Amino acid sequence: MSSDSNRRMVILTDGHSNPLTAKTACSVLRYCQNEVIAVLDTGAVGQTAEQLLGTGGTTPVIADLDSAPDAKTLLIGIAPPGGKIPAHWRPIILNAIARGMKIVSGLHEFLADDPEFSAAAVTAGTELVDVRNNDEHDVANRVGVRSDCLRILTVGQDCCVGKMVVSIELTRDLIARQHQAKFVATGQTGILISGDGCPIDCVVSDFISGAVEKQVLAGQDHDILCIEGQGSLAHPRYSAVTLGLLHGSIPHGMVLCYEAGRKSIHGMPEIGLTSLDVLKSAYESAANLMMPSQVIGIAMNSRLLSAEKAEDERHRVREEFKLPVCDVFRHGPGELTEAVLTLKQQIQSR
Amino acid sequence: MSSDSNRRMVILTDGHSNPLTAKTACSVLRYCQNEVIAVLDTGAVGQTAEQLLGTGGTTPVIADLDSAPDAKTLLIGIAPPGGKIPAHWRPIILNAIARGMKIVSGLHEFLADDPEFSAAAVTAGTELVDVRNNDEHDVANRVGVRSDCLRILTVGQDCCVGKMVVSIELTRDLIARQHQAKFVATGQTGILISGDGCPIDCVVSDFISGAVEKQVLAGQDHDILCIEGQGSLAHPRYSAVTLGLLHGSIPHGMVLCYEAGRKSIHGMPEIGLTSLDVLKSAYESAANLMMPSQVIGIAMNSRLLSAEKAEDERHRVREEFKLPVCDVFRHGPGELTEAVLTLKQQIQSR
């Protein structure tokens, strides 16, 4: 999906190679594996990316950049709360710069604002790319939004439950079924994968809905937009991002995403999750402040469950909500795709 | 309330002297009148500020800075949507800089980012103060929030309905009744009046709740915090700011503010207002995702109504919601103050 098929990336996850913290790495490996040469984690040398991160096939894990002499790009592969670069990564990044590699980061702390990194990049004549850097300064206007371009937003019970992945898998399935669908990226990883989008969590608050609206307007040459959700309405840290995205994209339908078995807010173990039931109502009420909208399906991330437990959970949630429920990896996104197409027909026939 | 009682301000509202656009001017005149020398509006020379803006007493309206030779500060007195400086103000601002005056602005477009202004300020050896400029980069943590420090947030049906004024008047009344209350400013005008606070609409979205939490923690040497609300949960542009503030301040109680007679969103005449009833539920549902909270009173801005019509409206809204209702200017904030103190007692006795 990327706009640059020759990035030749090494993904840096050193010491942080778990699927939640290293979600940028995992998603880029999953959707752009042919552009990734290696994963750099000194503690896991000899493993494959698939063994270390659960995705990425035989992509090797290496200990240093000497093992990847033809790499062109070093990608910072993690997204920690607060978004700062781990201190022990500095020499690795400086080494990559000295080799003339492009450094790509989706962190809140910009590479270009770091005097040591930026001086080194000038010396080496290479580029520092901060995917989250933006200059969004326009408010939403609600002008020119097409009523016949279906907007589907993924919403979640928490951060890091798979909203981006659900939006991408849904888009791919719609395209496979001959629909003009587009994945609209709203976070750094989605942007790295798709080659466009807006890092909305790094937009100044007054302009978040405006920034999202711009993405919607830019995508309206398609018939269906699958918009990447962010955070959760019940997240103590990031609910503002979630609502700005919801009200900026004014979706016709929402897919509610959650991880089965999770008990507390990601990164805040002392704060319990809000129930799916309460959250479904909260999303629908909040969306309906702007435009009629409903949750049309539930995407279950069942990575913590056995196949049997996952079936039980799927059955339970289907019964509770009377909605399509699936794990897009385990079951494929088909049921959700059909719910999207049903909604499209309903809206067209109004 | 300001930390600097010797600002000797001229407030610039030239061509924009109506109480909605010039709300910064109006509020600074109302709460810091002794620091204001004049209002600059070439179209209204000879009037008083009271005549022009409905507040500010005999403060004169002047045509140019020659009429205020001992002024020390030029305050940009407007808050337009998007926050840009009107083009015809540039020569006025450059003249003020050349005179060595400090320029204070609450706009999104920073004075310091303007090459012409910043060069002129260096030449003149004077200061450009962008109240909205901030470097908030901390997420909310929910650690150390005192359960016995009562947090009251003003929430609204729209922007520009008087949330800041209600929070200030409530604080003053609580202080007059011997309570340790503090007004917590969250917007540029509130900051100009109080001398501290955080311009939350200009904080990067991921950190808005964290920035608000910091203000709460800093104010907890008081018993009651009256937190200035922003925007509206039903505002197509600014709802993210509203929710970030709501979830960052986790208020025990909310005062719902509206302007009687207003029909559509401020600055978006084609979009009708959401009813108070729906909004009251929306605020309570959203707040309760974090902590039990309720609307404890309604602040009616009745500036568009006659005294008689205002009484009718007050009666009608009281009947509908069974809550205290008042216009803090017309009736004083007493009923709301009592609702706050009742809530305080209820929480203490739990």
Side-chain angles (χ1 to χ4, degrees):
Chain A
M1 298 177 87
S2 150
S3 57
D4 176 3
S5 60
N6 192 25
R7 292 186 283 188
R8 302 189 65 75
M9 286 182 272
V10 170
I11 306 184
L12 179 57
T13 60
D14 195 41
H16 295 270
S17 298
N18 67 75
L20 285 182
T21 308
K23 67 173 187 169
T24 299
C26 291
S27 295
V28 172
L29 281 165
R30 185 180 310 280
Y31 294 109
C32 309
Q33 190 188 325
N34 64 334
E35 302 179 56
V36 182
I37 293 175
V39 172
L40 196 160
D41 187 340
T42 51
V45 178
Q47 294 186 40
T48 63
E50 191 81 32
Q51 290 165 328
L52 181 63
L53 293 164
T55 184
T58 58
T59 308
V61 178
I62 60 175
D64 54 46
L65 294 172
D66 288 340
S67 311
D70 54 351
K72 286 173 58 182
T73 304
L74 182 74
L75 172 66
I76 308 299
I78 64 170
K84 292 186 193 300
I85 291 172
H88 75 281
W89 285 16
R90 297 189 65 85
I92 304 171
I93 294 169
L94 287 166
N95 179 22
I97 294 173
R99 288 165 176 267
M101 293 171 68
K102 180 193 282 191
I103 317 294
V104 177
S105 164
L107 300 185
H108 269 299
E109 191 176 72
F110 295 150
L111 298 168
D113 289 343
D114 184 295
E116 195 176 13
F117 292 154
S118 54
V122 169
T123 304
T126 192
E127 198 183 349
L128 307 177
V129 179
D130 290 296
V131 178
R132 262 190 173 128
N133 205 348
N134 74 88
D135 191 30
E136 294 292 341
H137 269 86
D138 297 300
V139 293
N141 287 310
R142 289 293 170 76
V143 174
V145 180
R146 268 179 55 191
S147 59
D148 59 342
C149 172
L150 192 75
R151 298 178 299 277
I152 303 294
L153 176 68
T154 44
V155 296
Q157 191 180 25
D158 194 4
C159 292
C160 303
V161 294
K163 292 180 287 286
M164 183 197 74
V165 160
V166 172
S167 293
I168 292 175
E169 295 292 334
L170 200 51
T171 307
R172 292 182 150 199
D173 198 30
L174 285 162
I175 291 171
R177 299 181 194 210
Q178 315 298 324
H179 292 277
Q180 301 292 314
K182 178 179 164 62
F183 165 64
V184 177
T186 63
Q188 68 280 3
T189 304
I191 295 169
L192 285 166
I193 292 167
S194 72
D196 62 9
C198 178
I200 62 155
D201 60 2
C202 209
V203 171
V204 163
S205 306
D206 253 5
F207 305 118
I208 185 167
S209 293
V212 174
E213 186 181 88
K214 237 185 259 181
Q215 293 298 316
V216 166
L217 295 176
Q220 290 190 129
D221 50 338
H222 296 74
D223 294 335
I224 305 173
L225 300 179
C226 297
I227 303 157
E228 178 191 1
Q230 295 291 340
S232 163
L233 274 188
H235 199 297
R237 290 174 173 162
Y238 309 125
S239 58
V241 175
T242 308
L243 189 65
L245 176 50
L246 184 65
H247 283 174
S249 66
I250 42 171
H252 298 91
M254 297 172 281
V255 174
L256 180 56
C257 306
Y258 80 109
E259 183 180 62
R262 190 182 296 192
K263 301 277 181 250
S264 60
I265 293 281
H266 178 60
M268 305 182 87
E270 69 289 3
I271 300 185
L273 289 182
T274 301
S275 75
L276 283 182
D277 181 40
V278 168
L279 269 172
K280 177 174 176 289
S281 299
Y283 280 114
E284 291 179 337
S285 303
N288 279 278
L289 289 173
M290 296 295 150
M291 201 187 88
S293 184
Q294 55 190 307
V295 170
I296 59 167
I298 297 180
M300 162 180 76
N301 175 340
S302 65
R303 69 180 183 95
L304 298 176
L305 306 187
S306 67
E308 194 189 348
K309 294 269 186 202
E311 279 316 305
D312 291 350
E313 172 76 2
R314 189 184 192 188
H315 180 73
R316 187 189 68 73
V317 176
R318 262 188 189 143
E319 284 301 299
E320 181 179 352
F321 294 98
K322 312 294 183 201
L323 283 173
V325 178
C326 59
D327 180 316
V328 295
F329 290 147
R330 199 166 264 190
H331 313 112
E335 278 194 22
L336 296 175
T337 309
E338 278 145 34
V340 168
L341 295 173
T342 302
L343 179 65
K344 192 168 195 300
Q345 277 190 325
Q346 284 169 357
I347 287 173
Q348 278 169 342
S349 65
R350 264 176 209 165
Chain B
M1 299 174 86
S2 150
S3 57
D4 176 4
S5 60
N6 193 24
R7 292 186 284 186
R8 302 189 64 76
M9 287 182 272
V10 171
I11 305 184
L12 180 58
T13 60
D14 196 40
H16 295 269
S17 299
N18 67 75
L20 284 182
T21 309
K23 70 174 185 170
T24 299
C26 291
S27 295
V28 173
L29 280 165
R30 185 180 309 279
Y31 294 109
C32 310
Q33 190 187 325
N34 63 334
E35 301 178 56
V36 182
I37 293 176
V39 172
L40 196 161
D41 187 340
T42 52
V45 178
Q47 293 185 40
T48 63
E50 191 82 32
Q51 288 166 329
L52 181 63
L53 293 165
T55 183
T58 58
T59 308
V61 179
I62 61 175
D64 54 45
L65 294 172
D66 288 340
S67 310
D70 54 350
K72 285 173 59 182
T73 305
L74 182 74
L75 172 67
I76 308 298
I78 65 171
K84 291 184 193 299
I85 291 172
H88 75 281
W89 286 16
R90 295 189 66 86
I92 303 171
I93 294 168
L94 287 166
N95 179 22
I97 294 172
R99 288 166 175 265
M101 292 170 72
K102 180 192 284 192
I103 317 294
V104 177
S105 165
L107 300 185
H108 268 300
E109 191 175 72
F110 295 150
L111 297 167
D113 288 343
D114 185 296
E116 195 177 12
F117 293 154
S118 53
V122 170
T123 305
T126 190
E127 198 184 348
L128 306 177
V129 179
D130 289 296
V131 178
R132 262 189 172 129
N133 205 347
N134 73 87
D135 190 29
E136 294 293 341
H137 270 86
D138 296 301
V139 293
N141 287 310
R142 288 294 170 76
V143 174
V145 179
R146 265 180 57 191
S147 59
D148 59 342
C149 172
L150 191 75
R151 299 177 298 277
I152 303 294
L153 175 67
T154 44
V155 296
Q157 190 179 26
D158 194 4
C159 293
C160 301
V161 294
K163 293 182 285 288
M164 182 197 76
V165 160
V166 171
S167 294
I168 292 175
E169 295 292 335
L170 202 50
T171 307
R172 291 182 153 198
D173 198 29
L174 285 162
I175 291 171
R177 298 181 194 208
Q178 314 298 325
H179 292 276
Q180 301 292 316
K182 177 180 165 61
F183 165 64
V184 177
T186 63
Q188 69 281 4
T189 304
I191 295 169
L192 285 166
I193 293 168
S194 71
D196 64 8
C198 177
I200 61 155
D201 60 2
C202 210
V203 170
V204 163
S205 309
D206 253 5
F207 306 118
I208 183 166
S209 294
V212 173
E213 186 181 88
K214 236 184 260 181
Q215 292 298 317
V216 165
L217 295 175
Q220 289 189 130
D221 50 339
H222 296 75
D223 293 334
I224 305 173
L225 300 180
C226 297
I227 303 157
E228 179 191 0
Q230 295 290 340
S232 163
L233 274 189
H235 199 297
R237 291 175 172 161
Y238 309 125
S239 57
V241 175
T242 308
L243 190 64
L245 177 50
L246 184 65
H247 283 174
S249 65
I250 42 171
H252 298 91
M254 297 172 279
V255 175
L256 179 56
C257 306
Y258 80 109
E259 183 181 60
R262 191 181 296 191
K263 302 277 183 245
S264 60
I265 294 281
H266 178 59
M268 305 182 88
E270 69 289 1
I271 300 184
L273 289 182
T274 301
S275 74
L276 283 182
D277 181 39
V278 169
L279 269 171
K280 176 174 176 290
S281 298
Y283 280 114
E284 290 178 340
S285 302
N288 278 278
L289 288 172
M290 297 296 150
M291 201 187 90
S293 183
Q294 55 188 307
V295 170
I296 58 166
I298 297 180
M300 162 179 76
N301 174 340
S302 65
R303 68 181 184 95
L304 299 175
L305 307 186
S306 66
E308 195 189 347
K309 295 269 187 202
E311 278 316 305
D312 292 350
E313 172 77 3
R314 189 184 191 187
H315 181 74
R316 186 189 68 73
V317 177
R318 261 188 188 143
E319 283 301 300
E320 182 180 351
F321 293 97
K322 311 292 183 204
L323 283 174
V325 178
C326 59
D327 180 318
V328 295
F329 290 147
R330 198 166 252 177
H331 314 112
E335 279 195 19
L336 296 174
T337 309
E338 278 145 35
V340 169
L341 294 174
T342 302
L343 179 65
K344 192 168 195 300
Q345 275 189 327
Q346 283 169 358
I347 287 172
Q348 278 170 342
S349 64
R350 266 176 208 165

